[in-house]
Amino acid sequence: MSNLTRFSAALVLALPAAGQLRLETRAQVIVQVPRAVDRTGVEASLERGGWRVLEELPALGLLLVEVPLTQGLASAIARLSATPGVAFAEANGSGEGGEIVPNDTHFGVQWPLDNRGQGGGRAGADIEALRAWSLARGSAAVTVAVLDSGLTPAHPEFAGRVLPGIDFVNEDADPFDDQGHGTFVSGILAANADNAFGLAGVDHACALLPVKVLNQFNGGTVFDLTQGLVFAADAGAHVVNMSLINYPQTTALESALEYARNAGCVLVACAGNGGIGDADRSYPGRSPLTISVGATTDRDLRAVFSGTGNSLDLVAPGERVPATLRALTDGWTAFSGCSAATPIVSGMAAVLLSVDPTLTHDEIKQRLEAGAEDGVGSAADTPGRDNHYGHGRANLFRSLCLLDTGGPSIVAPAVLRLESPGPGGLSADDPAVIAALKSILAVDDLDPAPRLQVVSPGPLPLGKLVALAVTALDACGHATQRTLEIIAEDRG
């Protein structure tokens, strides 16, 4: 049943003295009935009292109950809480997508990925995506659930990568984006790359699982979000993106977050768009179960709307970020808000998981925070963690390098044995010497093309071992040194 249908069924017409038509809706309450309790008996008791069960979420033992018109919300919660078999009762609150309405449609380059100072930005105020992509570009084995307004599945930017999703707003299996917010978010996170079309996502290889929890007006309910979290967890999502703000902190929603975390999901959420202190107000971002993401500008300054507070973990580009249009056209729009910053971090988490699928939520969080660039913003970006920038501005390249704890391996025998055609040995530029040096390999777990430095051994006298200094360096700056030996031996 859709939100629209659910609300329409409860509409009552009231005609005030002024003669203007006003629509009133019945309140809704979320109650939990533990598995050990006779749920059928509880539901029968509720119906006898005039309550109506609209929906249920068995995985968490939750029921969505409609309040009779004769009762206020507070008294209804009190009565339901006192009902035998009910563990708790709380209002079905609402939230909204964390969007600042975009108004600049001419921002033509993806500065969050590669900021060269275009558009008046500051060079380097980005996540170093180009360097990072030389190490990893994601994997189809990693699934990212986007809990939002849905997406346009036929869009070329998502072709071949969208998994069967769900719509908890309209209660069907078609999470079509009728608002645009979800497509913006999904494009920033995971738009196809190298397809001569549109934009490139942070992770352009992951599988996308669209879960519609926001309606066409960019609003959603606690119950729909709890359903979305449980669905994403049960579907095997590795990362869950929540570009959502201003949901109330409820027992049901916290239970759903715990459910997803216990299932192994990495949870990434908005830090809020209300500025100072909002990271400690806006939910689900303020939950310690999530990675809370604030927003920065193309000059590495905190976006004026970006939420601050103790709950903030890190920041990412989030003002005038180029985003995928809902229309199936080769275009983009500038998108602002923590909703734009959050998918950048979710995409980063997915890339990290493509390198090491065993990483947990806490391990991903630690590497994102440790890899963030600190002290690059305003004076409020003080050394170490602060309430304005968290641990710093996200950097995909640096976070990836934290997965590569050692230098490359040098693959070669301890002694390189060469045949000398005569008693004079071999010169340093002899083809046999050059071929032997080229046979030395460097192999790295992360960098597909580590560099190899070999100091020329000079002339090789016949029968004498000569030390050979070899150094292998990867893109992250890790080095391995090894001393080999090389000898020219009599062919006979």
Side-chain angles (χ1 to χ4, degrees), residues 122-372:
R122 191 176 79 186
D126 56 46
I127 66 168
E128 286 198 272
L130 296 184
R131 291 184 72 191
W133 288 341
S134 72
L135 304 178
R137 302 182 72 172
S139 168
V142 177
T143 296
V144 180
V146 180
L147 275 57
D148 215 284
S149 63
L151 58 75
T152 307
H155 205 295
E157 292 289 49
F158 312 122
R161 296 168 51 215
V162 181
L163 300 176
I166 195 167
D167 180 347
F168 286 112
V169 175
N170 300 297
E171 299 293 338
D172 58 42
D174 181 16
F176 179 77
D177 186 4
D178 52 8
Q179 205 280 333
H181 188 273
T183 301
F184 295 163
V185 168
S186 299
I188 292 170
L189 193 160
N192 280 326
D194 299 321
N195 61 343
F197 187 94
L199 306 171
V202 176
D203 182 327
H204 32 263
C206 66
L208 278 172
L209 179 66
V211 181
K212 185 173 175 64
V213 297
L214 295 177
N215 59 29
Q216 61 183 322
F217 306 109
N218 207 32
T221 70
V222 166
F223 197 78
D224 285 346
L225 180 52
T226 59
Q227 288 180 304
L229 283 161
V230 170
F231 175 84
D234 290 347
H238 301 93
V239 180
V240 176
N241 185 89
M242 291 176 284
S243 290
L244 310 170
I245 60 173
N246 298 337
Y247 281 76
Q249 182 173 0
T250 70
T251 307
L253 188 47
E254 195 76 4
S255 297
L257 292 171
E258 289 178 358
Y259 184 93
R261 276 289 300 275
N262 291 338
C265 299
V266 178
L267 305 181
V268 187
C270 271
N273 287 334
I276 302 301
D278 202 37
D280 293 332
R281 294 188 295 264
S282 184
Y283 200 83
R286 71 169 177 167
S287 170
L289 295 170
T290 70
I291 298 171
S292 176
V293 183
T296 53
T297 71
D298 60 1
R299 298 189 62 81
D300 260 342
L301 300 176
R302 181 184 71 84
V304 66
F305 54 79
S306 182
T308 69
N310 292 318
S311 301
L312 178 66
D313 292 313
L314 75 165
V315 292
E319 184 177 84
R320 296 189 304 155
V321 175
T324 301
L325 291 171
R326 184 161 57 111
L328 305 182
T329 55
D330 189 0
W332 47 269
T333 188
F335 181 48
S336 296
C338 63
S339 279
T342 302
I344 289 177
V345 174
S346 291
M348 290 173 58
V351 173
L352 293 179
L353 283 169
S354 74
V355 175
D356 185 354
T358 69
L359 293 171
T360 66
H361 171 100
D362 288 336
E363 290 169 335
I364 290 286
K365 181 173 181 286
Q366 187 276 329
R367 284 156 179 80
L368 290 172
E369 292 175 348

Side-chain angles (χ1 to χ4, degrees), residues 14 23 41 64 73 75 125 154 177 180 216 222 251 318 341 416 447 464 479 485:
L23 301 182
L64 183 62
L73 181 60
S75 62
D177 186 4
Q216 61 183 322
V222 166
T251 307
L416 299 175
D447 187 352
K464 182 178 179 181
E485 291 181 311

